[in-house]
Amino acid sequence: MATLGDIGLSAAINILSALVFLVAFAILRLQPFNDRVYFPKWYLKGLRTSPTQSGAFAKRFVNLDWRSYIKFWTWVPDALKMPELELIDHAGLDSAVYLRIYLLGLKIFVPVTLLAWAVLVPVHWTNSTLKLSDVTFSNIDKLSISNVPLGSQRFWTHTVMAYAFTFWACYTLKNEYAKVSGLRLHFIASDRRRPDQFTVLVRNIPSDPDESVSECVEHFFLVNHPGHYLTHQVVCNANKLADLVKQKKSQQNWLDYYQLKYSRNSSNRPTKKTGFLGLFGEKVDAIDYQTAEIEKLTKEISVEREIAINDPKSIMPAAFVSFKSRWGAAVCAQTQQSRDPTVWLTEWAPEPRDVYWKNLAIPYVSLTIKRLIIGVAFFFLTFFFMIPITMVQSLASIEGLQKRAKFLKDVIEVPFIKSFIQGVLPGLVLKIFLIFLPTILMIMSKFEGFLSISTLERRSASRYYLFNFVNVFLGSIIAGAAFEQLNTFLHQSAEDIPKIIGVAIPMKATFFITYIMVDGWAGVAGEILRLKPLIIFHLKNFFLVKTEKDREEAMDPGSLGFNTGEPQIQLYFLLGLVYAVVTPLLLPFILIFFGLAYVVFRHQIINVYNQEYESYAAFWPDVHGRIISALVISQLFLMGLLSTKEAALSTPFLIALPVLTIWFHLFCKGRYEPAFTHYPLQEAMMKDTLERARDPKVNLKAYLQNAYIHPVFKNSEEDEDENDEYGRFTGEMELVPTKRQSRRNTPVPSKVSGGSSPSSLPDIQESSLP
């Protein structure tokens, strides 16, 4: 069990690591040759030029101004200067609202920490229960609820504090939800024209033997959305074509590399082996080989492009349908289109850069099966990960394990080694085990068939949070309690085990403190250093970069990584809310995380990250819901803990807390969540009216008709005529042409088959049509 000395050693190591990372960053960011690594966002915006292009040779690579090194901490106030509205304009609403999660943590936990230390810490410390008990403990545990004797009247303090913390958290959450929903609506109203404001994605289009998918879509929307339908773009399966294009780009990069290598030493032609990773196979001339591979891929791309465009089997029963107004798109996206609710399914289209094109080719009927498979796979992944979690807890609880395994005694004889094993190693090992988890979860989300990058990240984040809750939180508590009290577990009856767990669970705060320091302190400080992008950029810059465009492509600004960052934040919310009443010692460590992370990520968002998409903060309901779930979990946990403490009088008063918290969640869900799931028609009409007044001659069809073409076609197809008049579909409603041999699904006669096709519908006089 970690002692105060172990925690002190862990804090010293992690604080020193964080300071090394921050100092290294502060120095490296001043060097001209690292400018594109630490300020790529400004280069992408065209607002910064490279300092290595002018001046003396030495000054192009090293900053010789000694005064800048004295002020190297100025990046901290610089990161905090930019106002929120300017930040939204600079980096987008998603980035600004993401930062508000860290601010929310500070708003909740600063008052909670002050109150807990002022009230609960004296209540816990002024007892001697653990000293008189038979369980393994340290001085840190005297600050926890475990040190309060059974049946004590002091448990009323915990009940009152639980109510106070819950009411404050709910008050803060409500204010934040109202603020973010207001920012979202304001951003949508003030945002410039975007294709996704006018476009819906239609899926599960029913097949028609007489019409193609494109003709069927046009016919359906001309009939059912007269006066509003504008244009559409059917979805085709271009996954193979995209893979070929990607391969060609990779081969072209290698060709550029070998040509550059040859230009530097023309006396020696570069060679390569044709086998796996260039390690095996026949040795050939590298330039000739790459040129031949590119020519081969070019022919394959041409053939595959024709197949993707002309083969009916490559056309998917889905389409992006655009409307003449935001109002028309909002009506279509938020209503049922057909009597059969399983066909003509509509939803808001993601913005073009947010579309995950590979999944558009997945048939709709297979999505349910895919999601069932992934659900089962995720269950087994979560279950089997308990094995490394147990291994980690054996390190954290080595003293308890030694009672039954005497051979471990020699390992921890040296005090420093013992402190390192218990204070640093568990959190570090757990962090290493979790490195590959986000990648695995993102692969699972992609397999499930979600259609946008933002949805993929939100789905992956949900699973990551659930995984953290089951394994990192519950798994660590259960396994740790068993290891720490192993001797007691083996000699007590089954009836007494719940009481032993009730005493042991608060003691796991020491493990979570070490994890917070490794992951939340040193990990966040390491984020700002950007060591991996720094090394990769300089390798590319040395071997591959020939032009300014190549240098720009070598930059890797990255993005927020919502699928990894948000679950990490939510774990700290969970730990803080659970241990606020139980072990307040943990709270200052969480406050340091939220404060440090806010400054670091604000700097990264301003200077580094280039967000891949804009979802208008669509993730906030998930953030709110997970904090509410953490509140409910903390309340249930406290109820269970007090029940083992024989607090028969105070425990029943906690029953109302989960009920009130869930009621509060339902209130917020009904009051604020619609702003994140629907587009108010009033707002849409207002935006349309203002736009028509400001730009009445806008050619919206030309703006929208190619917005949702697959990226692999954009550079290969000639754009359609952009001079079609915007008023083509205005005025009187036209009779809708169709190739169908039956009019049973056509509410108005057809110019093509209206006179010859039988129909059970009564005759409709053309003169009576509107």
Side-chain angles (χ1 to χ4, degrees), residues 25 145 153 432 603:
F25 157 73
I145 198 174
Q153 293 296 316
I432 293 172
H603 173 275

Side-chain angles (χ1 to χ4, degrees), residues 694-716:
R694 292 171 181 170
D695 193 3
K697 297 182 180 180
V698 61
N699 190 341
L700 199 58
K701 187 172 190 294
Y703 173 72
L704 292 171
Q705 64 182 359
N706 291 330
Y708 285 94
I709 290 179
H710 196 291
V712 297
F713 296 121
K714 286 189 175 180
N715 297 325
S716 60

Side-chain angles (χ1 to χ4, degrees), residues 247-415:
Q247 291 178 31
K248 181 181 176 181
K249 184 178 180 180
S250 175
Q251 297 291 350
Q252 185 64 50
N253 288 339
W254 278 111
L255 177 60
D256 293 342
Y257 166 74
Y258 289 125
Q259 288 177 338
L260 179 62
K261 186 177 180 181
Y262 181 61
S263 67
R264 292 174 176 173
N265 184 13
S266 57
S267 61
N268 187 18
R269 295 273 293 186
T271 60
K272 67 170 294 183
K273 293 183 178 181
T274 59
F276 178 71
L277 296 178
L279 301 175
F280 308 97
E282 180 185 0
K283 182 180 288 188
V284 296
D285 184 283
I287 295 178
D288 293 340
Y289 177 81
Q290 295 299 142
T291 302
E293 287 294 309
I294 291 173
E295 292 177 354
K296 177 184 176 182
L297 286 171
T298 301
K299 294 178 181 179
E300 293 181 7
I301 288 172
S302 179
V303 173
E304 186 60 33
R305 180 179 290 116
E306 291 298 320
I307 294 175
I309 295 174
N310 300 317
D311 188 357
K313 294 182 179 179
S314 68
I315 304 299
M316 306 303 298
F320 291 99
V321 180
S322 298
F323 295 81
K324 297 178 183 179
S325 65
R326 296 171 181 83
W327 187 92
V331 171
C332 180
Q334 296 165 182
T335 55
Q336 182 175 316
Q337 303 302 309
S338 171
R339 177 181 298 178
D340 183 354
T342 64
V343 298
W344 296 107
L345 304 177
T346 56
E347 59 185 276
W348 279 109
E351 62 169 331
R353 60 178 178 163
D354 190 20
V355 177
Y356 188 69
W357 294 96
K358 286 186 177 181
N359 282 356
L360 287 175
I362 299 176
Y364 183 81
V365 293
S366 67
L367 294 180
T368 303
I369 299 174
K370 284 177 170 285
R371 290 170 188 176
L372 175 62
I373 293 173
I374 291 301
V376 175
F378 178 69
F379 170 80
F380 283 104
L381 174 67
T382 305
F383 178 78
F384 284 110
F385 202 85
M386 290 297 296
I387 297 174
I389 290 292
T390 304
M391 294 171 55
V392 170
Q393 289 305 317
S394 69
L395 295 174
S397 311
I398 197 169
E399 193 173 32
L401 183 62
Q402 189 186 16
K403 293 181 179 180
R404 305 304 301 174
K406 301 294 185 181
F407 63 90
L408 292 176
K409 184 177 180 179
D410 294 337
V411 178
I412 58 174
E413 283 183 349
V414 181

Side-chain angles (χ1 to χ4, degrees), residues 88 93 175-190 671-672 675-676:
I88 292 173
L93 185 63
N175 290 341
E176 201 67 21
Y177 214 151
K179 177 67 175 178
V180 173
S181 62
L183 287 173
R184 173 182 167 89
L185 292 175
H186 181 268
F187 185 78
I188 292 174
S190 61
R671 174 63 181 86
Y672 301 113
F676 295 84

